[in-house]
């Protein structure tokens, strides 16, 4: 503990602790999903003012919601830390520090202030963009707390977390086009939910399997067993590829069959090999590798859209 305190003791480097609280290195990857969703539906960039406010709101919202998770799970994280953690090297969610409040590097008061400031900023930005987006942000924060409360109750809480992670993309579509038909955000929600369960939730819980078993947590890996959890993860990843294909075919950008197949193929290349590796070998390293690589799904989708817009 003393070495960690010394490492993050400076006034500037302490910022890393707050970024770790909000898992900002990982969060920045997730934040590209709302950008991709808006471009996917519009087919072009929104007005500069809307884009700027949208980017700020996305950053503030994800920063707040990720911190809400650590605040709600503080007792569990403290118990896990005191019980001894496994090696977290090479794990994206452990950049800087993992659960800094549980490690005693940030106080709960500091965490609350950080979360509240970003939450208020996100709520204000979302309301200006579209009051419905503000409602989705509040719903996301509430659902995140419910997700944490169900840790020892039901493994189906993973579905709640999937919805929370999907609301950013849905809100982005409604921010740039309040009249967007319901079916397109719904298709996006299904696709990103499958990604969250198969590429994020299951491998993250797999990485924490020993701690969850010790705590009596109800996760998909604990409830189903690793064999069935690996199957669910792989099937979900296949669903992400199929959902991406459907989104690209339905998007107004005019990808056509070839463009849609190309985009879905890129996503398949990103997600399916590490998913298959976890299914076959069922190791903690494979779980971390899947989590890390699947975290780039929003970036890969956004990159494909930007390249298509440039060269179409």
């Amino acid at each position: 503990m003393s070495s960690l305190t010394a490492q993050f003791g400076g006034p500037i480097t302490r910022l890393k602790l707050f970024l770790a609280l909000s898992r900002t290195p990982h969060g920045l990857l997730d934040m590209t999903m709302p950008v991709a969703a808006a471009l996917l539906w519009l087919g072009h960039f929104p007005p500069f003012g809307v884009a700027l406010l949208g980017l700020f709101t996305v950053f503030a919202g994800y920063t707040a919601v990720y911190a809400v998770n650590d605040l709600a799970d503080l007792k569990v994280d403290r118990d896990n830390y005191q019980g001894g953690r496994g090696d977290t090297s090479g794990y994206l969610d452990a950049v800087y520090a993992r659960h800094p409040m549980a490690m005693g590097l940030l106080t709960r008061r500091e965490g609350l202030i950080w979360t509240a400031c970003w939450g208020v900023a996100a709520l204000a930005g979302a309301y200006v963009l579209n009051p419905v987006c503000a409602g989705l942000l509040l719903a996301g924060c509430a659902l995140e707390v419910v997700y944490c409360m169900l840790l020892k109750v039901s493994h189906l809480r993973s579905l709640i977390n999937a919805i929370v992670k999907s609301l950013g993309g849905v809100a982005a579509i409604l921010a740039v086009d309040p009249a967007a038909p319901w079916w397109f955000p719904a298709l996006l929600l299904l696709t990103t939910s499958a990604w969250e369960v198969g590429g994020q939730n299951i491998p993250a819980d797999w990485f924490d399997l020993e701690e969850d078993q010790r705590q009596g947590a109800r996760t998909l890996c604990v409830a189903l067993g690793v064999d069935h959890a690996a199957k669910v993860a792989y099937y979900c990843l296949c669903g992400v590829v199929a959902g991406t294909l459907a989104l690209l075919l339905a998007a107004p950008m005019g990808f056509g069959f070839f463009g849609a197949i190309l985009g879905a193929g890129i996503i398949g290349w990103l997600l399916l090999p590490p998913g298959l590796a976890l299914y076959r070998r069922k190791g903690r390293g494979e779980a971390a590798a899947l989590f890390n690589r699947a975290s780039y799904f929003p970036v890969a989708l956004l990159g494909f859209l930007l390249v298509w817009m440039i060269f179409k």
Side-chain angles (χ1 to χ4, degrees):
M1 184 74 71
S2 59
S3 61
L4 286 171
T5 303
Q7 181 183 354
F8 294 105
I12 297 178
T13 56
R14 273 182 60 81
L15 176 61
K16 292 182 178 180
L17 295 176
F18 288 99
L19 298 179
L21 176 65
S22 293
R23 304 176 204 175
T24 303
H26 181 192
L28 287 173
L29 301 179
D30 286 350
M31 292 172 202
T32 58
M33 179 53 76
V35 180
L39 290 180
L40 189 63
W41 175 246
L42 280 183
H44 56 81
F45 290 100
F48 179 76
V50 173
L52 191 62
L53 179 59
L55 289 173
F56 171 78
T57 302
V58 165
F59 180 85
Y62 276 77
T63 299
V65 171
Y66 268 119
V68 165
N69 180 281
D70 266 31
L71 283 167
D73 265 349
L74 180 56
K75 183 181 183 302
V76 173
D77 292 335
R78 278 176 176 166
D79 291 343
N80 283 336
Y81 185 76
Q82 291 171 0
R85 283 192 173 275
D87 181 22
T88 59
S89 59
Y91 186 49
L92 183 59
D93 255 9
V95 174
Y96 299 146
R98 195 171 186 214
H99 306 307
M101 288 191 300
M103 297 170 69
L105 299 174
L106 286 178
T107 66
R108 186 172 182 272
R109 180 174 179 271
E110 289 173 323
L112 284 169
I113 293 174
W114 171 266
T115 306
C117 289
W118 284 113
V120 169
L123 188 63
Y127 187 84
V128 172
L129 288 167
N130 184 343
V132 174
C133 296
L136 291 176
L137 174 63
L138 292 174
C141 291
L143 287 173
E144 187 69 18
V145 174
V146 172
Y147 165 75
C148 295
M149 292 174 62
L150 293 177
L151 176 65
K152 300 182 181 181
V153 178
S154 174
H155 61 284
L156 296 180
R157 72 192 192 104
S158 298
L159 299 179
I160 296 177
N161 188 238
I163 293 173
V164 172
K165 287 287 286 286
S166 302
L167 289 180
V170 173
I173 294 174
L174 298 178
V176 298
D177 184 7
W182 67 268
W183 59 266
F184 194 83
L187 180 57
L188 178 72
L189 185 145
L190 289 174
T191 303
T192 51
S193 292
W195 161 66
E196 168 60 23
V197 172
Q200 302 284 267
N201 196 272
I202 288 179
D205 288 340
W206 198 309
F207 193 80
D208 291 335
L209 183 58
E210 293 183 4
E211 296 169 1
D212 290 335
Q213 290 173 331
R214 185 172 64 243
Q215 286 273 0
R218 298 289 296 173
T219 67
L220 286 171
C221 293
V222 172
L224 302 181
V226 293
D227 288 340
H228 286 95
K231 291 180 182 178
V232 171
Y234 189 71
Y235 293 152
C236 283
L237 296 175
C238 291
V240 177
V241 178
T244 302
L245 177 62
L247 284 168
L248 295 176
L249 287 172
M253 286 184 70
F255 292 99
F257 182 75
F258 171 76
I261 288 292
L262 178 61
I266 293 172
I267 299 305
W269 167 83
L270 180 72
L271 300 180
L272 297 185
L276 187 59
L278 180 62
Y279 176 74
R280 288 176 173 172
R281 293 191 283 274
K282 300 178 178 64
R284 193 169 185 259
E286 283 76 24
L290 172 58
F291 180 90
N292 290 348
R293 185 154 165 170
S295 297
Y296 287 89
F297 164 62
V299 179
L301 180 60
L302 177 59
F304 174 74
L305 296 179
L306 291 174
V307 171
W308 186 270
M309 292 171 65
I310 293 172
F311 292 103
K312 72 174 181 178

